[in-house]
């Protein structure tokens, strides 16, 4: 998988397509978004049935990480080693049914 992606749609198109609340901030379409860069994401409001756009940094930062720069090296998991790597091991356990 590539470590970059693009967000090339205008804000209004994203808001309309996902039925989001209007968002005050605007963005310029970007074609080379890298880990750790701030990007708009769509989130479900915790208490109301409303979608919202929020600005967040892209990347996985494990709860035990001492530095946010780990997000650049944890964007991809290898299927052969994901179950043993600390960044992916615990989340995978939550998805895997317990053995009887």
């Amino acid at each position: 998988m590539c470590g970059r992606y693009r967000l090339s749609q205008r804000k209004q198109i994203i808001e309309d397509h996902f039925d989001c609340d209007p968002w005050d901030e605007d963005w310029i379409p970007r074609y080379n978004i890298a880990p750790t860069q701030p990007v708009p994401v769509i989130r479900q409001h915790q208490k109301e049935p409303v979608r919202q756009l929020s600005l967040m940094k892209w990347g996985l930062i494990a709860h035990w990480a001492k530095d946010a720069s780990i997000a650049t090296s944890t964007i991809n998991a290898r299927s052969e080693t994901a179950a043993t790597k600390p960044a992916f091991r615990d989340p995978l356990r939550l998805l895997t049914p317990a053995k009887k």
Side-chain angles (χ1 to χ4, degrees):
M1 179 178 169
C2 179
R4 308 287 173 123
Y5 76 99
R6 71 182 183 140
L7 179 59
S8 56
Q9 296 295 329
R10 291 184 334 234
K11 179 182 89 155
Q12 185 65 40
I13 292 171
I14 300 292
E15 287 176 343
D16 291 346
H17 182 78
F18 290 100
D19 193 27
C20 296
D21 276 351
W23 192 43
D24 294 337
E25 295 190 42
D26 202 3
W27 68 76
I28 298 170
R30 293 171 47 200
Y31 298 89
N32 193 20
I33 299 171
T36 73
Q37 291 182 332
V39 291
V41 296
I42 299 164
R43 302 186 323 163
Q44 180 72 37
H45 190 278
Q46 290 181 343
K47 298 179 181 177
E48 300 174 24
V50 176
R51 292 185 185 120
Q52 301 172 315
L53 282 165
S54 302
L55 199 60
M56 297 183 160
K57 284 187 179 181
W58 177 46
L60 172 65
I61 303 173
H63 66 89
W64 45 261
K66 294 182 175 137
D67 185 6
S69 67
I70 192 171
T72 60
S73 63
T74 56
I75 59 167
N76 291 322
R78 292 178 161 265
S79 61
E80 306 85 37
T81 60
T84 61
K85 298 290 182 180
F88 305 109
R89 180 179 55 221
D90 293 340
L92 278 174
R93 283 186 187 144
L94 296 173
L95 297 173
T96 307
K99 294 181 181 178
K100 294 180 181 180

